[in-house]
Amino acid sequence: MSPPGTVEGLLRELAPQVLAAVVRRYGDFDLCEAAVQEALLAAALQWPADGPPDNPGGWLVTTAARRRIELWRNESARAFLVPEPTIAQRISRAKSRIRGAAFSMPDARRPARTDAAGELVPLAEQDRARWDSAAITEGVGLVTRALAEAPIGPYQLQAAIAAVHDEAPSAKDTDRAQILGLYELLAALAPGPMVTLNRLVAAAMVHYLRRRAAAL
């Protein structure tokens, strides 16, 4: 048996280390903090009677990780407002419906992307009258809702960049400043050579247009 004061001091010392370890693993601070608090409570109840384990920090991290998974599952069931078995049945039925179905990637600008010889046409030179306006409207609506309702990620930003291009009636009417801002966010979230290149191109266009406007 360990004195309560000894256990309390050990838990106080380990708490920030354990929280940092669990947050590094899962990322969601609020859920991890709740899980660590429950692990600390379990240790405070169990360790004075049984004694601390050989690896107190590891015990706390493992217990908090398990509890975090339980909390996440509970929140996900509440989010769907139905029991997990019901969700599993719905997923199974959906899989059976789409089994064997053929899917194709929608692409609103595809009709204008190649010329009669099959050569690629740059975006600025495409005949925008050939773009699918209904698909563009649907896509803009989808990405607008995604940006408002879901955590911003690289796919939403890429879709938003495409939407800004699609909404412009001509290449010269494209909101280049907005394009640059979106690429700045994309570079922060998902850096890479192509993102860097596109961001530099967007920045060059914005600076060129500003200099030209200032000269007029």
Side-chain angles (χ1 to χ4, degrees), residues 30-48:
D30 292 341
L31 209 57
C32 290
E33 184 181 36
V36 169
Q37 288 177 352
E38 295 199 17
L40 293 171
L41 176 60
L45 295 175
Q46 182 177 332
W47 291 3

Side-chain angles (χ1 to χ4, degrees), residues 24-188:
R24 277 197 303 270
R25 181 180 300 180
Y26 295 105
D28 45 357
F29 183 87
D30 292 341
L31 209 57
C32 290
E33 184 181 36
V36 169
Q37 288 177 352
E38 295 199 17
L40 293 171
L41 176 60
L45 295 175
Q46 182 177 332
W47 291 3
D50 302 338
D54 294 335
N55 182 1
W59 187 97
L60 288 169
V61 169
T62 300
T63 303
R66 290 173 179 168
R67 185 56 184 146
R68 184 260 171 203
I69 293 173
E70 293 173 359
L71 292 172
W72 179 84
R73 286 175 176 170
N74 290 339
E75 287 198 357
S76 299
R78 284 197 297 270
F80 287 106
L81 301 178
V82 292
E84 287 188 28
T86 303
I87 296 176
Q89 291 174 1
R90 291 178 179 176
I91 293 174
S92 178
R93 286 197 296 267
K95 287 182 177 178
S96 65
R97 290 194 190 101
I98 65 174
R99 188 175 292 115
F103 294 92
S104 60
M105 182 69 70
D107 188 351
R109 301 195 298 250
R110 178 172 295 176
R113 280 186 169 175
T114 55
D115 59 18
E119 298 293 330
L120 288 175
V121 179
L123 177 63
E125 300 174 14
Q126 290 179 14
D127 180 2
R128 301 192 176 208
R130 299 181 63 194
W131 289 0
D132 187 334
S133 59
I136 290 174
T137 300
E138 180 184 8
V140 170
L142 289 172
V143 71
T144 300
R145 288 197 298 274
L147 290 171
E149 299 172 1
I152 295 179
Y155 293 118
Q156 291 99 319
L157 292 174
Q158 291 170 16
I161 291 169
V164 175
H165 282 295
D166 291 347
E167 288 184 302
S170 65
K172 67 181 180 61
D173 295 318
T174 304
D175 189 340
R176 301 291 177 180
Q178 188 176 175
I179 294 287
L180 176 58
L182 290 169
Y183 270 120
E184 295 284 0
L185 289 174
L186 187 57

